[in-house]
Amino acid sequence: MTTYKLFLLAGDGIGPEVMAEVEKIIRHFASEGVAKFEIEKGLVGGSAYDAHGAAISDADVKRAADADAVMFGAVGGPKWDGVPYDVRPESGLLRLRKDLGLYANLRPAICYPALAAASSLKREVVEGLDIMIVRELTGGVYFGEPKQIIDLGNGQKRAIDTQVYDTYEIERIGRVAFDLAKRRGNKVTSADKRNVMKSGVLWNEVMTALHAREYPDVKLEHQLADALGMQLVRWPKQFDVIVTDNLFGDMLSDVAAMLTGSLGMLPSASLGDADPKTGKRRALYEPVHGSAPDIAGRGMANPIAMIGSFGMALRYSFGLNQAADRLEKAIAEVLAEGLRTADIKSEGSRVVSTAEMGDAIVAELAQQAAESVTDEEN
Ligand code: IPM
Ligand code: MG
């Protein structure tokens, strides 16, 4: 049986609560003999800052790089509002993305039938939705230099962020999007602001050339990023794969999350290139939601985005597609039975705690396993 090394970084706020539920899922799959999981844990965000004055230690970055997959919870909270910018909780996550070369962020937005009513949009707009946002994650304005605030000496200050993209960065994220589209609806929508930004002009040019050269059989469409935001809430089912830069992807994926009912539903995978020798690719899995300090410690957070992120690890890092399918089915089943955390509650549903939701999904997995044994015996 293969052993996979998992590095858990639960972080702050609701991070540890939702991570505890993922541990139940891991233990369950291990008990079934699906694979062996070796688990290590580290600190990130405010909790790392409290422990050693940095948002992640060098040692934990190294352990993350050595793992087969990193499971990441969430970082930040009002407690650390005053800490220096360089060591703010978010910098731990940004360092991991950069140092591990995790340039491809996959954010699937799937609306489970049982949750169509939880979305703020009309049922017919979101029901059956299945789109994939591919966000560039290690470039653009998040990391561009210079990035600073200058004192102009006349009572004024000037803030500078730099939006910068090289051809190779656009090409490699484009390939991820086109490759995914081939296995889905065969359509890519690329979003940029070429009407205002030079980086948008290059983004558009490179996507167009890559498409003509390597993916002529996939349908490519360009939209301006602001218009795409509008289309996402108008008629999201027109999309299959959306590819866009770091900042637009950050914003558009929060919008997409609400199409699925709640920010508590959206998982994500951040992937690097495969190592040419071992075939192994660095990977980090995290929910799209943040640390939600307002509900932290109250046992009411929705663990589904975090659990779904582990599902993505099963699929993209371990190739355990059957286990990933089963986990997705278990989540859909529990929702169909009417179990809801507070964020997705609706009339007639039963509101459960974070732990109860995790337990219900494990119970569903156990039932699937029992049923498949019965099937084999019959
Ligand atoms: C996300 C988050 C992060 C980002 C923050 C926490 C730095 O919003 O993953 O979408 O902006 O990328
Ligand atoms: Mg975000």
Side-chain angles (χ1 to χ4, degrees):
M1 205 190 306
T2 318
T3 301
Y4 297 107
K5 269 174 33 188
L6 286 168
F7 187 44
L8 311 188
L9 289 167
D12 312 318
I14 61 169
E17 292 167 60
V18 293
M19 190 66 84
E21 301 314 306
V22 163
E23 287 189 66
K24 290 179 186 168
I25 307 286
I26 297 170
R27 280 198 298 272
H28 177 81
F29 278 123
S31 76
E32 273 191 27
V34 168
K36 276 192 183 148
F37 298 102
E38 213 176 277
I39 293 183
E40 277 194 67
K41 297 181 186 182
L43 293 174
V44 70
S47 50
Y49 176 80
D50 289 346
H52 32 66
I56 187 160
S57 65
D58 293 343
D60 276 354
V61 172
K62 183 166 186 316
R63 287 155 86 201
D66 291 341
D68 291 310
V70 180
M71 299 301 306
F72 187 97
V75 287
K79 181 179 174 199
W80 303 283
D81 276 351
V83 308
Y85 187 81
D86 287 345
V87 290
R88 73 198 185 288
E90 290 77 10
S91 67
L93 174 59
L94 296 175
R95 176 168 174 206
L96 279 167
R97 289 174 179 171
K98 194 71 176 172
D99 286 10
L100 271 54
L102 308 172
Y103 65 86
N105 185 217
L106 277 45
R107 300 190 157 185
I110 295 169
C111 184
Y112 289 92
L115 283 192
S119 172
S120 52
L121 281 91
K122 291 198 191 84
R123 173 180 284 276
E124 64 265 28
V125 175
V126 295
E127 195 164 32
L129 179 77
D130 179 357
I131 61 180
M132 176 71 89
I133 297 189
V134 178
R135 168 187 176 193
E136 199 291 325
L137 203 60
T138 51
V141 76
Y142 272 61
F143 296 99
E145 295 287 346
K147 188 181 197 66
Q148 58 189 169
I149 298 178
I150 307 168
D151 197 329
L152 296 178
N154 58 355
Q156 295 285 304
K157 290 181 182 176
R158 177 173 297 156
I160 304 171
D161 289 289
T162 306
Q163 164 81 343
V164 48
Y165 271 109
D166 290 359
T167 304
Y168 80 95
E169 294 177 287
I170 305 170
E171 276 178 349
R172 67 182 181 181
I173 196 68
R175 285 194 186 98
V176 171
F178 285 119
D179 285 337
L180 280 167
K182 278 189 180 171
R183 288 185 265 129
R184 300 172 39 100
N186 211 40
K187 179 177 161 190
V188 172
T189 307
S190 169
D192 61 58
K193 280 290 286 178
R194 64 190 174 286
N195 55 346
V196 185
M197 300 164 82
K198 286 292 182 187
S199 57
V201 172
L202 184 67
W203 184 278
N204 194 276
E205 260 175 41
V206 173
M207 283 296 170
T208 303
L210 175 71
H211 172 249
R213 205 170 59 234
E214 295 177 30
Y215 300 92
D217 297 335
V218 181
K219 189 171 182 321
L220 171 67
E221 191 185 87
H222 298 279
Q223 286 191 11
L224 295 173
D226 55 342
L228 191 142
M230 181 272 287
Q231 290 294 344
L232 255 187
V233 288
R234 191 183 74 85
W235 191 245
K237 286 186 232 174
Q238 68 185 278
F239 298 111
D240 176 27
V241 175
I242 294 171
V243 63
T244 191
D245 78 10
N246 205 342
L247 183 62
F248 298 147
D250 179 45
M251 299 195 286
L252 294 171
S253 59
D254 267 28
V255 176
M258 272 320 291
L259 304 174
T260 71
S262 161
L263 202 47
M265 294 297 299
L266 222 68
S268 89
S270 306
L271 309 173
D273 271 327
D275 183 309
K277 278 195 208 105
T278 61
K280 186 173 129 179
R281 75 191 316 183
R282 296 241 171 96
L284 178 148
Y285 298 87
E286 58 168 318
V288 170
H289 65 69
S291 60
D294 51 326
I295 59 161
R298 291 163 59 188
M300 60 190 285
N302 184 350
I304 292 179
M306 186 78 239
I307 292 173
S309 299
F310 181 64
M312 293 188 84
L314 291 171
R315 196 180 298 286
Y316 292 102
S317 280
F318 313 144
L320 296 170
N321 291 326
Q322 209 195 339
D325 290 344
R326 282 181 55 203
L327 185 53
E328 275 161 26
K329 194 157 163 273
I331 293 170
E333 197 57 41
V334 165
L335 292 171
E337 283 162 15
L339 264 61
R340 301 281 190 278
T341 42
D343 57 313
I344 48 175
K345 71 171 180 238
S346 60
E347 245 183 67
S349 64
R350 184 155 77 84
V351 176
V352 296
S353 68
T354 310
E356 284 168 330
M357 182 58 92
D359 291 341
I361 294 170
V362 169
E364 194 58 45
L365 287 171
Q367 197 184 325
Q368 286 172 1
E371 277 164 11
S372 81
V373 171
T374 323
D375 285 350
E376 277 163 30
E377 282 167 357
N378 288 342

